[in-house]
Amino acid sequence: QVQLVESGGGLVQAGGSLRLSCAASGTIFSINAMGWYRQAPGKQRELVATITSGGSTNYVDSVKGRFTISRDNAKNMVYLQMNSLKPEDTAVYYCNGEIKRTRYGLASDYWGQGTQVAVSS
């Protein structure tokens, strides 16, 4: 099995910072793209940022210049550094990974359980 476990969420004042971490564990041959998504109450889950195994990144416009995604391939971890947080960043943040469990198998999407981020004004 494969598990993704997020950590680092919490309550912070507007303008503050948080760093989210996500650890992938289990039977893993390789991990393609990894990413962070978020879902605010009453809204659909949206992409926040992605990073390929080679380090190419992509961000939703609303977080560009404030959030930074990074990964440690040796540790199967992905991070999200969030600076200049705004109340509208409040959401449950989910980690995602495109993971191959065997050399010749197909990559499948795996999700963490989510971590709450709350930004007060």
Side-chain angles (χ1 to χ4, degrees), residues 2 27-32 97-110:
V2 172
T27 305
I28 297 172
F29 175 77
S30 64
I31 305 178
N32 298 335
E98 297 175 3
I99 297 174
K100 292 182 64 174
R101 298 184 62 193
T102 61
R103 177 185 294 273
Y104 301 109
L106 297 175
S108 297
D109 267 339
Y110 291 87

Side-chain angles (χ1 to χ4, degrees), residues 77-92:
M77 294 197 67
V78 64
Y79 308 95
L80 186 68
Q81 178 66 42
M82 305 185 293
N83 298 328
S84 301
L85 282 160
K86 304 175 180 180
E88 51 264 43
D89 295 317
T90 295
V92 177

